[in-house]
Amino acid sequence: MRLIMNRVFIVFSTFAALVGLIFLGWILFTLFSKGLQGLSFDVFTKDLIEGGLRNVIVGQIMMSGIATLIGIPVGILAGIYLQEYGANSRSTEFLRDLSDVMMSAPSIVVGTFVYAIIVVPTGHTSGWAGVLALFILMVPIIVRTTDDMLNLVPIELREAGIAIGASKYHVTMNIVVRYAKAGILTGILLAFARVVGETAPLIYTSGSSEFWSTDLTGTFPSLTVSIYNLATMPDDQMVQLGWTGAFLLTTMVLIINLLGRYASNKKRSK
Amino acid sequence: MKNMMEVKDLTFTYSGASEPSLKAISLPVEKNKVTALIGPSGCGKSTLLRGMNRIHDLYPGHRYEGAINLLNADEKAYTNILDIKKEAELIRLRQRVGMIFQKPTPFPMTIFENIAYGLRLSGVKKRTELQEVVEQSLRDAALWEEAKDRLSHDARGLSGGQQQRLCIARAIALKPEVILFDEPTSALDPISTLAIEEMISVLREQYSICIVTHNMQQAARISDYTGFMYLGEMIEFDQTDTIFMKPSQKQTEDYISGRFG
Ligand SMILES: Nc1ncnc2c1ncn2[C@@H]1O[C@H](COP(=O)(O)OP(=O)(O)OP(=O)(O)O)[C@@H](O)[C@H]1O
Ligand SMILES: [Mg+2]
């Protein structure tokens, strides 16, 4: 009986894995074949209004990048607080739970929230509103990975630091965080990969623009929102541009994820 | 000879524990001698040692009663280290009373930085001085020959025995007065163990040493005094020869002859 169950289980899980792989392969194949067709130099040198993607790519990276730059210190400091200074008190547990809940919050909810607190009062969509939505999405991820990675640092290392006359602050900054560096970096990359492909939090916050812009106080170009818009356009050329954008976005996310993998593997093999 | 440290009637209770883990313990640590602590697992050896540089204070809620006296620099009077409240003074205490742990604990830095780190924190800034002390400490810890060509490599690339010697070098770089060893060789192979034992008998010319060990031969080989602990109490303390040849307590004799523990 045990043996039969075992067999059945193996067959089912293999089947499930195959189905998953087939769909994944299908998606990637479609994406690559359709996306590559439209790939040309113009895509990178012209703005959306002229049939390229330059402004939306730059816009997407700018918003995600700035959200990451602000999110890194905030997330890491919060993670350090939880693990090193929170001492497992009630409030620490509450903050941990809160951050976990935030991590699984649907991104459209975050988008709507930022819409309500920024876009409605200011009366227009803006790059900063998009940055804020992405920031809210990514900070819990960084907090969580920092917290987890610091938790893996052997307690003996902290004691050894104290034993040579380092203060708690020095032990944390120079020894504990350095030990967990690779893991924290992986967390940051994964958080970036997560937000760089987000559409829902940007639709109502940054909006999308066909023109070149680096002014975050106004409506801001965004690759994901533009893909969404292009896909539903009647014009074939526009739809093609959408495919190309989707292809570029997927490639970017894939590369970042691989980098994250690489960083965490390197850490483990040490 | 003078005692470098004196534990007097120390009772120690961990946070949340109903019973104290140390019960009215007394222990002298004589200057330039090696004092060994032996006893079955769980008898409180580590707990005692960790009181002597107040590393327990990393975790809140424990309770000390009694005194742990440390000889002042003028060698005239003692200071009770349990009276220390300020973090700056605790840091100073740990620079004077160094500690080596059971598992080697190299910091995630280069070999050079592992040793220079504590020195920098204690205020040494000049590069030449750092280099000098790093070299001297590595020599004293019998690691210089193996490490001199890889000072800028990550310390975690060293072998376990080398890492432990690095930790010793790191401790002696700060010129402590006392060095506490908590089973420093129990994770090491026999050859590394021998190297560290030899080093301890050299170090004792300059430092006062207190070492916890589960290895009876080791205690007999390297220590001048031995204390036998059992269930949080100091059952017997005497010269090592006396403890091993003609102990006055039945429990000590049983433990040494391997009848329990
Ligand atoms: N953090 C702690 N909280 C509560 N009790 C503790 C804690 N650490 C140790 N104890 C208890 O204190 C007693 C002494 O432990 P200690 O680690 O000092 O023993 P030991 O003699 O060093 O043993 P070993 O030879 O196994 O290292 C034990 O009964 C142990 O359960
Ligand atoms: Mg112990």
Side-chain angles (χ1 to χ4, degrees), chain A residues 155-168 170-171 174-175 178-179 270, chain B residues 50 55 58-59 87 91 94 99 101 103 105-109 117-118 121 156 170 174:
Chain A
I155 192 83
E156 291 89 350
L157 211 57
R158 296 181 173 86
E159 294 184 348
I162 295 288
I164 61 147
S167 61
K168 171 109 185 166
H170 281 126
V171 170
N174 303 339
I175 299 175
R178 200 181 298 193
Y179 185 93
K270 227 178 215 160
Chain B
R50 291 158 64 88
I55 204 123
L58 207 50
Y59 315 100
E87 187 176 23
I91 285 175
R94 286 159 192 154
M99 185 166 213
F101 298 82
K103 265 203 267 164
T105 49
F107 298 149
M109 316 169 181
Y117 182 60
L121 289 179
R156 288 168 291 179
R170 193 167 75 189
L174 296 171

Side-chain angles (χ1 to χ4, degrees), chain B residues 117-136:
Chain B
Y117 182 60
L119 288 166
R120 286 216 179 88
L121 289 179
S122 73
V124 181
K125 294 216 171 61
K126 267 203 288 181
R127 183 84 194 164
T128 49
E129 191 181 347
L130 283 174
Q131 272 161 343
E132 248 165 58
V133 181
V134 168
E135 173 168 351
Q136 192 54 49

Side-chain angles (χ1 to χ4, degrees), chain A residues 25-211:
Chain A
W26 191 4
I27 292 172
L28 283 180
F29 178 76
T30 318
L31 203 59
F32 275 60
S33 57
K34 298 226 180 191
L36 279 171
Q37 278 172 29
L39 203 59
S40 71
F41 207 56
D42 281 355
V43 170
F44 300 103
T45 53
K46 291 188 170 158
D47 292 336
L48 191 55
I49 188 74
E50 310 148 331
L53 292 170
R54 183 180 69 148
N55 68 326
V56 290
I57 292 175
V58 171
Q60 189 84 13
I61 292 178
M62 256 183 83
M63 283 194 290
S64 315
I66 292 173
T68 310
L69 285 184
I70 314 173
I72 289 173
V74 174
I76 291 184
L77 286 177
I80 289 176
Y81 173 80
L82 288 182
Q83 190 56 236
E84 303 294 320
Y85 292 89
N88 287 323
S89 64
R90 270 259 188 78
S91 56
T92 311
E93 276 317 303
F94 175 73
L95 282 175
R96 230 177 230 140
D97 291 343
L98 186 74
S99 141
D100 279 0
V101 170
M102 291 283 295
M103 197 152 76
S104 43
S107 48
I108 187 76
V109 174
V110 174
T112 320
F113 169 72
V114 173
Y115 175 79
I117 65 159
I118 303 275
V119 179
V120 172
T122 57
H124 60 88
T125 53
S126 67
W128 283 118
V131 168
L132 179 64
L134 297 181
F135 169 83
I136 296 176
L137 275 177
M138 78 186 310
V139 163
I141 306 177
I142 302 182
V143 172
R144 185 58 202 241
T145 30
T146 306
D147 191 14
D148 285 349
M149 289 301 140
L150 295 183
N151 192 25
L152 292 178
V153 179
I155 192 83
E156 291 89 350
L157 211 57
R158 296 181 173 86
E159 294 184 348
I162 295 288
I164 61 147
S167 61
K168 171 109 185 166
Y169 167 79
H170 281 126
V171 170
T172 305
M173 289 308 176
N174 303 339
I175 299 175
V176 176
V177 171
R178 200 181 298 193
Y179 185 93
K181 198 174 54 185
I184 295 175
L185 188 68
T186 309
I188 292 170
L189 280 174
L190 292 181
F192 181 76
R194 159 89 204 273
V195 301
V196 81
E198 280 286 358
T199 319
L202 294 180
I203 291 183
Y204 306 123
T205 55
S206 68
S208 72
S209 157
E210 305 187 317
F211 303 97

Side-chain angles (χ1 to χ4, degrees), chain B residues 25-45:
Chain B
I25 293 268
S26 291
L27 174 80
V29 177
E30 201 178 304
K31 196 166 181 232
N32 298 123
K33 293 281 192 253
V34 177
T35 304
L37 288 175
I38 59 171
S41 188
C43 68
K45 306 178 296 294

